[in-house]
Amino acid sequence: MDFILNKKNSQREQWTSKLGFILAAAGSAVGLGNLWGFAYRSSQGGGAAFVILYILIVLIVCLPVFVAEMALGRNAISSSLIAPVKLGGKNWYPLGILFFIAPLGIASYYSVIMGWTADTFFHSLFFGLPKDLSEAENFFGSISSGSSVLLGHLLSLVLTAVVVSSGIKKGIEKVTRFFMPILFFILLLLAIWATSLSGAWEGYKTFLLKFELSQLANPQTIRNAFTQAFFSLSLGIGVMVTYASYLSKKSNLPKLSFGVALLDTLVGLMAGLITFPIVLTFGLSETISESTVGALFISIPTGLGAYGIAGRLVAVAFFALAYIAAITSSVSLLEVPVSSLMDKFGFKRGKSVCIITIILFLAGIPSALNLNILGIFDSIFGGVFLILGGFLVSFFMGWVVPGKLNEELNVSKVGTKTTRYLIFMTKWISPPIIGFGLVISIFDLIKGWMS
Ligand code: TRP
């Protein structure tokens, strides 16, 4: 019996080390959401109120959810489709299904945006930047329609599939270990460069200091802050469940989640310190505050276009950075349904990757061809579903199987104070606050559709 158990456990891959996990999880968290989502959500009028709300949500709500997700995955030692059933019984299968469908929904349009990113990168590299706003809009129009968008979508999916099919250690961990340091380095260089812009101070002020109390009660700002917090940390749809299922029992879950959340938030803030100076220096506030999904792809190249060869270099670095950040995130989105198929049907990794990649290509076609559909996918799968998932995970670990949460904290020798704090938060604080955020978000979303 023992032998069989051991054999089973040794068949499941594990990260080579804690750092391997941190880089992979941070790689999942740091993505287009930090660069594109942060800029576009914070410029929808929330200003500093948005940033404050976002940070509060991360600290108070998301950290306990993060630990709860990891505890679920590590305790069940299975993919996110099966984990809720394993711990809580058949009634919780719908949660597993949510964890299967939501990452598919996000991944389907995420690769479309990756395609735009790659296109802008190559264009900046080989042809240069647009001369003015209308040229930039034309350019964005051309990359976000027709066959080039489908090609970008397909190639990004294939690239992601190649990494995921190589497995946890040789695929995801290896790629994130290689790329994450490069990403931090480029980010730092760009943030330093941005201080030299004439509108730098104006940018920081708009981003961090323009505080209006009333914004804290604005439903749109609240929805944006919740969405951004969950999306940016890759929470609510089973990514951390899946990643933690490859984690050793020795690792301290609260410490790991704190490390990942800190890295992710720093990257989000630093990205703001790059994009806002560019936007204000070149008078592009209007373009970005229209907050179409393409804002970043129009305003950044336009702004940098006025800066000659230096601007072009910066654009190349920025879009390379964005693509690197995106690939380490999209692999996490693919890993969730892939590992679920492997667990549920006993498929080989390669077969699961093929099936899911084909589904994603087809599911992404509407978003590729129509920006409105992409926006709808983003607000449902990348918004409401994450908040719903976060709510259910907290409720599940806090009320349905609290013993398992306790067990996971004890087994890695987390201090009693931290354990008590996390259990208290998971039971009493996260569910009502996320529930509140969910209701406001649903109303705000529907209101937006009606108007
Ligand atoms: N967090 C990533 C970003 O900021 C996107 C992402 C990857 C994601 N996996 C996720 C978002 C899971 C929500 C859930 O771009």
Side-chain angles (χ1 to χ4, degrees), residues 54-73:
Y54 160 74
I55 291 176
L56 282 179
I57 294 172
V58 169
L59 288 177
I60 298 173
V61 180
C62 289
L63 279 174
V65 172
F66 206 128
V67 174
E69 269 203 36
M70 288 173 68
L72 170 57

Side-chain angles (χ1 to χ4, degrees), residues 108-120:
S108 73
Y109 69 86
Y110 204 81
S111 51
V112 173
I113 305 176
M114 285 173 78
W116 302 346
T117 311
D119 232 342
T120 316

